[in-house]
Amino acid sequence: MGGGQEELQQLSQEIEAIEEEISALESEIQGYRDEKAAIGDATEAIQTLETDATVQVPLGGGAFVRARIEEIDEIVVDLGADYAAEQDEAGAIEALETKRELIDDRISDTSDELEELQEESQQLEQQAQQMQQQMQQQQMQQMQGEQPDE
């Protein structure tokens, strides 16, 4: 019976490890969604702002400075891998849409991975329940076998 307990313990550890992976993937997906929302906000701002508009520019640490847009067709867009490029309005929007599509792909891939882990976790949990039930049945049988006959 000790072997059954060890197997159950091992299953429990595997389930716990998978649950941690699931949590990490859920956080990753949320990060992608946040990044996608920021891209949407940037795209909207580019489409609505005009030359000579006044905006508040974040400096970091919760500090902002007011600035006037000299030329809306001079937008610096992060291209990834620590590269950025100056783009006109249409080019900036196109670059941001490309990034959004890549993020959608990452969300999809990560969601698929998450679904696989959730299925694996569910299977292991069912297996653990079956083992527990078998162990309980064995204990009941042993207890019945030990009772004196009257």
Side-chain angles (χ1 to χ4, degrees):
M1 193 162 91
Q5 287 286 359
E6 290 174 14
E7 283 183 56
L8 197 56
Q9 176 102 17
Q10 186 177 356
L11 273 178
S12 178
Q13 289 172 348
E14 286 178 42
I15 291 168
E16 190 174 318
I18 289 173
E19 293 297 328
E20 288 176 12
E21 286 182 63
I22 287 172
S23 181
L25 289 177
E26 288 171 340
S27 295
E28 192 174 326
I29 289 171
Q30 186 57 50
Y32 291 144
R33 288 183 178 144
D34 292 346
E35 188 176 350
K36 185 177 169 183
I39 288 171
D41 292 345
T43 301
E44 183 180 340
I46 291 168
Q47 292 169 333
T48 58
L49 288 175
E50 298 176 2
T51 298
D52 289 330
T54 301
V55 295
Q56 291 195 17
V57 179
L59 299 174
F64 295 82
V65 65
R66 265 179 228 245
R68 186 175 60 82
I69 297 175
E70 290 183 21
E71 181 57 58
I72 192 65
D73 270 345
E74 295 175 356
I75 302 166
V76 178
V77 179
D78 178 15
L79 301 175
D82 293 330
Y83 288 98
E86 187 174 296
Q87 308 256 338
D88 63 9
E89 182 178 345
I93 290 172
E94 183 179 331
L96 290 170
E97 285 302 310
T98 299
K99 283 178 72 172
R100 187 187 58 75
E101 290 169 6
L102 290 171
I103 290 171
D104 281 339
D105 291 344
R106 288 184 196 150
I107 289 172
S108 177
D109 292 345
T110 307
S111 294
D112 290 345
E113 190 177 341
L114 177 63
E115 191 175 310
E116 288 174 15
L117 281 175
Q118 287 170 330
E119 288 174 10
E120 184 179 348
S121 176
Q122 191 174 20
Q123 288 173 352
L124 289 176
E125 286 174 8
Q126 287 175 351
Q127 188 177 348
Q129 279 182 335
Q130 288 173 348
M131 287 182 69
Q132 276 183 319
Q133 288 173 350
Q134 287 174 347
M135 289 170 59
Q136 287 174 346
Q137 286 175 350
Q138 288 174 352
Q139 283 179 335
M140 292 294 283
Q141 288 172 354
Q142 285 178 349
M143 289 173 64
Q144 288 174 353
E146 291 175 3
Q147 291 187 358
D149 292 331
E150 294 182 29

